[in-house]
């Protein structure tokens, strides 16, 4: 398994329920001390900064922590910002992730 964070396919629609599931899956994987999950948490969770991977694996992770990691992987600074975006964006909006930066595209626009 690779330790790279999961990437959203360019122009893949974000779905709140899917993101909630991703957060719960991350939480379960971290509790199993899955190396990919530990690396994702280490990369995106502020309180994991400066810790060794074994220390990150031992952190008591909460659902809110996993949600923050998922939000940051999608290019949002917080879970509430991700939720707000999904609640206020028209159905045609899509998120494009390029090098970890979120770019919102509307409808069929390419630019």
């Amino acid at each position: 398994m690779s330790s790279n964070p999961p990437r959203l396919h360019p122009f893949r629609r974000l779905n709140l329920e899917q993101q909630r599931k991703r957060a719960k899956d991350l939480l379960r994987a971290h509790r199993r001390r899955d190396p990919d999950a530990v690396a994702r948490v280490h990369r995106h969770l502020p309180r994991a900064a400066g810790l060794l991977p074994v220390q990150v694996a031992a952190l008591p992770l909460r659902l809110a922590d996993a949600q923050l990691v998922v939000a940051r992987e999608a290019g949002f600074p917080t879970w509430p910002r991700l939720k707000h975006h999904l609640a206020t964006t028209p159905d045609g909006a899509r998120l494009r992730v390029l090098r970890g930066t979120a770019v919102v595209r509307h409808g069929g626009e390419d630019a």
Side-chain angles (χ1 to χ4, degrees), residues 7-8 14 70-77 82 85 94-105:
R7 293 278 185 207
L8 294 176
L14 282 179
V70 167
R72 288 187 169 193
E73 288 175 339
F76 293 88
L82 169 64
H85 172 80
R94 296 167 188 256
L95 181 74
R96 184 174 183 178
V97 177
L98 299 171
R99 295 185 185 159
T101 303
V103 179
V104 175
R105 304 282 187 195

Side-chain angles (χ1 to χ4, degrees), residues 1-2 25-26 28-40 57:
M1 281 190 138
S2 152
D25 289 346
L26 174 61
R28 282 189 291 270
H30 180 269
R31 287 179 178 159
R32 290 191 315 269
R33 297 186 182 221
D34 176 79
D36 290 336
V38 171
R40 291 170 62 196

Side-chain angles (χ1 to χ4, degrees), residues 6-87:
R7 293 278 185 207
L8 294 176
H9 185 274
F11 300 108
R12 180 176 173 186
R13 288 178 191 246
L14 282 179
N15 173 290
L16 184 57
E17 287 307 313
Q18 180 184 42
Q19 301 312 307
R20 285 182 174 140
K21 182 180 181 322
R22 289 185 64 226
K24 289 177 184 177
D25 289 346
L26 174 61
L27 185 60
R28 282 189 291 270
H30 180 269
R31 287 179 178 159
R32 290 191 315 269
R33 297 186 182 221
D34 176 79
D36 290 336
V38 171
R40 291 170 62 196
V41 169
H42 199 197
R43 188 175 301 111
H44 295 288
L45 188 66
R47 68 185 175 98
L51 298 178
L52 297 172
V54 67
Q55 294 170 312
V56 175
L59 281 175
L61 203 67
R62 297 172 299 136
L63 180 58
D65 297 321
Q67 290 171 333
L68 176 60
V69 170
V70 167
R72 288 187 169 193
E73 288 175 339
F76 293 88
T78 65
W79 179 258
R81 289 291 253 327
L82 169 64
K83 283 179 58 176
H84 176 75
H85 172 80
L86 295 175

